[in-house]
Amino acid sequence: MMNESMNLIMVGRLKRRRRFILVTCLLAIISFALCWTMLMLGNTIYPVSDVISVLLGEQVKGASFAVGTIRFPRMVAGVFAGFAFGISGYVFQTMLRNPLANPNVIGITTGSSAAAVFCIIVLHASSTFVSIASIIGGLVTVIIIFLLSKGNSFSIGRLILIGIGIQAMLNAVISYLLLIGQHHDVPTAMRWLSGSLNGAKMDNLYALMITVLIFAPIIILLGKRLDMLELGEQTATSLGIHTDRTRLILIISSVLIIALATATTGPIAFVAFLSGPIAKRLVGIGFSSVIPAGLVGIILVLASDLIGQFAFVARYPVGVITGILGAPYLIMLLIRMNRKEEL
């Protein structure tokens, strides 16, 4: 009887492992295909051979500028920002055990946005200074939210409520800044707030790339501990997890990469909100969905950018498309949560 139970457990684990590997590989293949599509499509469609030649450093008439200077940085920005938004959203939703507890809703990206808009509207600062201020704004916001929600003990509900309140306050600040801004500054601020890959340059992407390459592996390595935190404070502690230390490392790593992503592309709507739930549904239980969530984030950003560029007569920033895709999901989630409360 015991052997049969063990066999069933092993068979179930193997099935879940195969599902995890299959889903992750499929998401990686889709991401890779979208990267090549980003490089090939534009006003002029270049064949794969020309794109490869440009990436290898060869000079190809027309393609060298279009692919190397415009499309490649745009693609790289989408990949690293999408991965950053995806895994950061998953970390906060899992750690706080609430699908609404993502960096967009609890005010972290809004803090970055408020700092950036202040620099654009009031200080008329350069793009580099705006990026630095955006990072600092995100870090300061998360520190304030954490300190206000700490109390005598850590409270998930208190953190979410305070985060939502901070977000509402910062949105009011952004609206006021836009009202008092000069006409030539407001379009720049609005373009940044909408979330866009337009005008991405490699020189401005190195900070994001380095930060993601350093801190994303830390989050991935802590994936199992993150899933244990979802079981609750007492259960995680009984399983040998140092909850405060693990939570602190995850928060710092997530905030840094999402602050850099927001500073680079602006707050691309709903990517952090959608990536985790989609990845969890695809992967199922038994394995951490950190990597799949990052890949889903890449797919959402790149696919939405392609839709915004080529699906309509006018061209729309990527954040507009992700906002359209994410709004119905948010409404359905709120309706579902309301029904659970009624039951």
Side-chain angles (χ1 to χ4, degrees), residues 318-335:
V318 60
V320 174
I321 307 301
T322 57
I324 293 172
L325 295 174
Y329 176 79
L330 176 59
I331 294 171
M332 288 189 294
L333 178 63
L334 292 173
I335 292 173

Side-chain angles (χ1 to χ4, degrees), residues 106-269:
I106 62 175
I108 297 172
T109 54
T110 313
S112 296
S113 300
V117 172
F118 178 81
C119 292
I120 294 171
I121 298 293
V122 178
L123 302 181
H124 310 289
S126 64
S127 59
T128 302
F129 190 85
V130 169
S131 297
I132 295 172
S134 175
I135 297 166
I136 295 172
L139 293 173
V140 170
T141 302
V142 76
I143 291 170
I144 292 172
I145 293 171
F146 184 78
L147 291 176
L148 291 176
S149 63
K150 190 174 182 181
N152 295 326
S153 61
F154 181 77
S155 171
I156 294 171
R158 195 186 304 126
L159 184 145
I160 294 172
L161 289 174
I162 290 174
I164 292 173
I166 294 290
Q167 183 206 38
M169 181 187 70
L170 291 173
N171 278 329
V173 171
I174 291 171
S175 298
Y176 173 74
L177 291 172
L178 292 174
L179 284 174
I180 66 171
Q182 298 180 13
H183 293 296
H184 61 273
D185 290 326
V186 172
T188 303
M190 289 301 297
R191 209 165 34 244
W192 193 92
L193 285 171
S194 65
S196 176
L197 304 180
N198 293 334
K201 297 178 180 178
M202 287 305 301
D203 291 341
N204 299 329
L205 296 178
Y206 292 124
L208 172 62
M209 294 166 63
I210 293 170
T211 305
V212 171
L213 290 174
I214 291 173
F215 290 99
I218 295 174
I219 296 173
I220 293 169
L221 290 173
L222 293 175
K224 289 184 178 180
R225 297 185 185 183
L226 174 62
D227 290 341
M228 291 179 186
L229 287 176
E230 191 177 17
L231 300 174
E233 190 82 12
Q234 293 181 348
T235 304
T237 302
S238 66
L239 291 171
I241 303 300
H242 297 283
T243 55
D244 289 338
R245 186 172 65 189
T246 302
R247 192 180 289 114
L248 180 63
I249 295 172
L250 287 169
I251 288 175
I252 291 174
S253 301
S254 300
V255 169
L256 282 173
I257 63 175
I258 203 166
L260 262 296
T262 304
T264 303
T265 64
I268 302 177

Side-chain angles (χ1 to χ4, degrees), residues 5-25 227 279-289 292:
S5 299
M6 290 298 294
N7 288 334
L8 287 174
I9 293 172
M10 291 301 296
V11 169
R13 181 169 178 79
L14 287 173
K15 286 182 178 179
R16 291 193 295 271
R17 182 184 293 276
R18 282 197 295 266
R19 178 176 175 176
F20 173 80
I21 294 173
L22 177 62
V23 169
T24 304
C25 290
D227 290 341
K280 276 188 174 182
R281 189 173 292 271
L282 291 173
V283 171
I285 60 173
F287 289 91
S288 174
S289 298

Side-chain angles (χ1 to χ4, degrees), residues 23-32 34 78-79 81-87 90 93 268-283 289-304 322 325:
V23 169
T24 304
C25 290
L26 286 174
L27 291 174
I29 291 170
I30 295 171
S31 301
F32 185 75
L34 287 171
V79 168
F83 195 81
F85 283 121
I87 64 173
Y90 175 79
Q93 289 170 327
I268 302 177
F270 287 111
V271 176
F273 181 62
L274 292 173
S275 299
I278 292 173
K280 276 188 174 182
R281 189 173 292 271
L282 291 173
V283 171
S289 298
V290 175
I291 295 176
L295 293 173
V296 171
I298 294 173
I299 292 170
L300 286 173
V301 172
L302 296 185
S304 297
T322 57
L325 295 174

